Amino acid sequence: MTSQDFIIIAIDGGAASGKSTTARALSEKYKLLHVDTGSHYRALTQALLNAGLESASESQVQNYLSKLNLDVDIEKRTAHIVLNDKRLNYSELRSPKINETVSYFAAMPSVRSYLLNYQRNQAHIAKEHNFSGLIMEGRDIGSVIFPSATLRLFFYADEATRASRRQKDGEQDAIAQRDKLDSQRKAAPLTCPEGAIQVDTSSKSIDEVIQAMSILIEDALKNAVHP
Ligand code: C5P
């Protein structure tokens, strides 16, 4: 990779489809900044719950967001969201209460537009910190945030595989319910973006998925047009 080859890899997919494990490994392999946008929605959800806004109207939520301060903390290859100087740790972000309520807030257009520029700006942050690129995972990365990404991937797995992955994580998480809410919402629903490469992770080991993605990344790099 030469210094001018800044790449953006978008990975979308439902809960427990294998996005995070793959994105983390690829971020190491290709020196990419890893951004998990699910953690952005999760952190906002916790802030809204803390502010007593669980049943608030969208305009109350919007009013709260307008006073919130957003920042980023880069640790090794991962960018973490910081809200009002507070960064939540992994287990705080994956509490049963957040799992239960995050899709409700994520369906609000004002919440999504609040995060849009922040998420797009992660590419500039990655460049400033001399990463070779950005790998961002979520539900609308290839469709809304970076529709012109170098590579757009859509991960999926059968329901039994996804349920057993969550069980192994020891998490209380109604993933089918979350996916339903995420797919049916009007604003940036969970869907395979047109032209994205579909990746079935059901019967593949993590190493097999990484190997297959590495071939795609290296192909994309070879075919990229550099000025
Ligand atoms: O990826 P994760 O399961 O942590 O995402 C938590 C929730 O955040 C999703 O169920 C979805 O409601 C929301 N989300 C979203 N758009 C993204 C990433 C996550 O709506 N790009």
Side-chain angles (χ1 to χ4, degrees):
M1 231 184 268
T2 67
S3 59
Q4 70 204 28
D5 300 331
F6 186 86
I7 57 169
I8 297 183
I9 300 173
I11 309 186
D12 290 302
S17 57
K19 305 184 300 289
S20 291
T21 315
T22 308
R24 262 196 301 274
L26 292 173
S27 75
E28 281 302 325
K29 185 166 179 183
Y30 294 98
K31 298 185 173 43
L32 311 172
L33 180 65
H34 172 220
V35 181
D36 166 12
T37 59
S39 71
H40 301 167
Y41 288 93
R42 289 172 176 277
L44 268 189
T45 296
Q46 187 61 62
L48 290 161
L49 292 173
N50 290 347
L53 294 172
E54 186 167 356
S55 320
S57 67
E58 187 158 358
S59 67
Q60 287 170 308
V61 168
Q62 200 167 9
N63 183 40
Y64 175 79
L65 295 179
S66 68
K67 295 176 198 140
L68 204 57
N69 182 41
L70 269 184
D71 213 338
V72 63
D73 182 20
I74 296 179
E75 187 185 23
K76 296 184 183 153
R77 302 216 187 279
T78 305
H80 300 275
I81 190 167
V82 178
L83 291 180
N84 285 351
D85 297 327
K86 189 164 167 50
R87 178 185 137 186
L88 298 181
N89 68 31
Y90 184 82
S91 59
E92 287 168 329
L93 287 169
R94 310 200 71 86
S95 71
K97 186 68 186 172
I98 293 183
N99 285 343
E100 190 191 313
T101 46
V102 62
S103 293
Y104 169 72
F105 290 117
M108 291 184 174
S110 53
V111 169
R112 306 202 72 80
S113 64
Y114 178 75
L115 286 174
L116 185 106
N117 288 336
Y118 176 78
Q119 291 173 346
R120 286 193 177 148
N121 194 42
Q122 301 296 309
H124 301 293
I125 293 171
K127 283 180 192 164
E128 273 166 23
H129 286 79
N130 294 319
F131 284 93
S132 304
L134 174 72
I135 186 160
M136 183 175 275
E137 48 160 316
R139 305 292 187 285
D140 62 343
I141 311 309
S143 56
V144 176
I145 308 299
F146 289 116
S148 310
T150 319
L151 196 58
R152 292 179 308 145
L153 307 168
F154 186 80
F155 276 31
Y156 65 97
D158 60 53
E159 210 155 320
T161 305
R162 299 194 302 132
S164 97
R165 284 177 188 161
R166 267 303 180 266
Q167 215 172 6
K168 271 191 208 137
D169 294 341
E171 262 189 63
Q172 187 184 321
D173 189 3
I175 54 176
Q177 171 69 7
R178 261 198 308 129
D179 280 354
K180 190 171 166 202
L181 288 171
D182 294 341
S183 310
Q184 290 180 348
R185 70 184 176 217
K186 287 207 175 72
L190 163 65
T191 179
C192 177
E194 214 186 307
I197 298 169
Q198 299 197 28
V199 184
D200 181 357
T201 66
S202 313
S203 52
K204 292 190 183 76
S205 71
I206 179 65
D207 286 346
E208 286 170 331
V209 176
I210 290 163
Q211 208 187 342
M213 296 308 100
S214 299
I215 293 170
L216 293 176
I217 292 173
E218 281 157 35
D219 263 6
L221 281 169
K222 258 188 254 151
N223 296 328
V225 179
H226 303 300

